[in-house]
Amino acid sequence: DIQMTQSPSSLSASVGDRVTITCRASHPITRNLNWYQQKPGRAPKLLIYAASSLQSGVPSRFSGSGSGTDFTLTISSLQPEDFAIYYCQQNYNNPPTFGQGTKVEIK
Amino acid sequence: QLQLVQSGAEVRKPGASVRVSCKASGYTFTSYYMHWVRQVSGQGLEWMGIINPSAGSTSYAQKFQGRVTMTRDTSTSTVFLDLSSLRSEDTAVYYCARDSYSSEYTWDYWGQGTLVTVSS
C-alpha cells in the first residue's frame, strides 16, 4: 500500500494567515492526490482533486499543488470556518490511502 | 438535493455482525460507484471497498476480505455494508461516499456517518 505522510500533524494560526500543509507519498502517484476537510462530528468534505483542481463550491482561498511524491495544500487567508482537520488521499492505486491528518487550530 | 442518508448507530457484541445502510437520493443511483470508508474514533480514515450499484459488482480492501459484504437494492437506491466477526477494533464511524464524476476513488458526497460500537 502507498503510505501518505502529512506535515505538520497540527498547527496554530490566526485568522488571515497563510497556511501550508504538505503531503508526501511513499511512491510516485503522478497527480492522483485529493484533499479533504473534516470538522468535528461531520463527514469529510472534498476540497481539491487531481492535486490542483478546486471542487465546485469550495472557496478560491484553497489551492493545491504538486506531483510525483510531494504535494501541498495552501489556504491563502485563513478564515474562522477553516479551523478543522485536513487529510490528503491518493487515488493512484488500490487501495486508496489517506494521510494521518493535519489539525489547524486557532492561535 | 443530493443526499446520502445512513442508518442509525448500532451496538454489537464481539463476534456478531452488523448491517449499515445508505440511501441515496437526488441523482441517478446506478450511475455512480459507491464506497465505504471508516474512521476509528479520533484517528484516520480507512477505505473498505467499492460497489457498482448498476452491476452489483464489488471490490474490497484486502484487510476486510472474508468479513465484509457490500450489496445494493436498486428499487430503493440503497447500498448496504455487512461486517461480520466484529471485534473491538471495528468500533468506528462508517461512511458511505459517492465516487466523483471528475475522478475515480474521489468522494464528492458523503453520508452523515454511522457509529458502530463493538463491546461486550
Side-chain angles (χ1 to χ4, degrees):
Chain A
D1 297 1
I2 295 177
Q3 307 303 314
M4 307 300 294
T5 304
Q6 290 181 231
S7 61
S9 296
S10 65
L11 65 90
S12 295
S14 301
V15 172
D17 284 353
R18 182 181 182 88
V19 169
T20 299
I21 299 168
T22 66
C23 178
R24 175 164 288 175
S26 61
H27 300 281
I29 58 170
T30 61
R31 293 176 59 80
N32 293 90
L33 192 283
N34 305 317
W35 290 98
Y36 298 86
Q37 175 195 67
Q38 188 177 32
K39 297 181 179 180
R42 305 292 297 273
K45 173 187 176 182
L46 179 64
L47 298 176
I48 301 283
Y49 64 94
S52 62
S53 295
L54 193 68
Q55 173 68 2
S56 176
V58 174
S60 59
R61 63 180 179 272
F62 291 94
S63 64
S65 64
S67 66
T69 59
D70 294 309
F71 301 85
T72 61
L73 173 70
T74 299
I75 309 172
S76 60
S77 178
L78 198 66
Q79 297 302 300
E81 59 268 30
D82 300 337
F83 293 96
I85 298 176
Y86 293 83
Y87 293 95
C88 62
Q89 174 243 330
Q90 66 82 15
N91 62 334
Y92 179 74
N93 70 5
N94 213 340
T97 49
F98 293 86
Q100 82 280 13
T102 295
K103 187 173 185 178
V104 176
E105 299 177 297
I106 301 173
K107 181 182 282 186
Chain B
Q1 74 279 23
L2 196 155
Q3 278 190 301
L4 301 175
V5 179
Q6 298 184 221
S7 49
E10 302 275 8
V11 179
R12 294 286 185 273
K13 294 189 183 304
S17 298
V18 70
R19 165 170 280 201
V20 179
S21 67
C22 169
K23 183 175 175 60
S25 61
Y27 72 98
T28 303
F29 175 69
T30 51
S31 295
Y32 294 83
Y33 292 155
M34 196 76 81
H35 301 250
W36 289 93
V37 176
R38 77 177 188 180
Q39 186 169 35
V40 175
S41 177
Q43 298 185 26
L45 295 152
E46 183 174 37
W47 179 79
M48 300 182 69
I50 179 175
I51 181 167
N52 176 345
S54 178
S57 54
T58 56
S59 176
Y60 305 134
Q62 188 169 8
K63 175 177 179 176
F64 300 101
Q65 289 277 359
R67 288 206 301 141
V68 69
T69 304
M70 297 176 188
T71 55
R72 93 296 190 210
D73 181 345
T74 56
S75 69
T76 60
S77 299
T78 302
V79 295
F80 301 93
L81 168 71
D82 290 292
L83 189 61
S84 62
S85 303
L86 290 168
R87 34 214 189 223
S88 58
E89 310 89 86
D90 293 318
T91 294
V93 176
Y94 290 77
Y95 294 101
C96 58
R98 192 192 80 158
D99 231 13
S100 148
Y101 174 82
S102 307
S103 176
E104 291 183 341
Y105 289 75
T106 298
W107 306 300
D108 58 356
Y109 287 92
W110 295 64
Q112 83 276 19
T114 297
L115 175 61
V116 174
T117 303
V118 183
S119 174
S120 55

